[in-house]
Amino acid sequence: MKRIAIFMMVVLLASACKKEKHTPDLTGTYSGLFKVTLVNTTLPPVDPNPVQLIISGNTFKSGTGVGYITVGGGDLRISTGVLNFTNNQFFPDNTSVNTSAVLNSSYNYTVKGDSLLLSKTSVDVIYTYKFKKQ
């Protein structure tokens, strides 16, 4: 009986000590670079493009190039380790030549201090965004 009581106390203490998963507040303006890495190809590497990302609650805006001409924006869903962007902008669409600022789909993310790193892999392509909070 004593062993059962001790075991139950240990289980209760262990479950009370579990950390809650916390999603950080990512609200703010970020500037950085977008990079495409082609895997298993002989094509030359793609030069990084400047990108700006603005997160406000459950929405985002993004842009690239001089004056951030190419833009995207829409809904943002944040969960542990993943940001899901849904681009709602009509132009440019995801088939535009310069779509590096048009975030659309799910990206793994990491926050370190004022840095935000986004990445996703699609077949033989790795998309990476390295941002600093402004």
Side-chain angles (χ1 to χ4, degrees), residues 32-96:
L33 293 175
F34 167 69
K35 182 179 177 185
V36 175
T37 304
L38 304 171
V39 182
N40 300 324
T41 183
T42 57
L43 295 173
V46 178
D47 290 334
N49 290 314
V51 180
Q52 183 180 56
L53 171 64
I54 301 169
I55 297 175
S56 178
N58 293 333
T59 62
F60 78 96
K61 291 182 182 178
S62 59
T64 190
V66 177
Y68 300 104
I69 295 168
T70 304
V71 295
D75 301 320
L76 173 64
R77 192 174 67 232
I78 303 170
S79 59
T80 305
V82 177
L83 296 179
N84 188 28
F85 297 90
T86 303
N87 180 41
N88 295 329
Q89 298 296 314
F90 176 72
F91 182 83
D93 63 10
N94 290 326
T95 60
S96 297

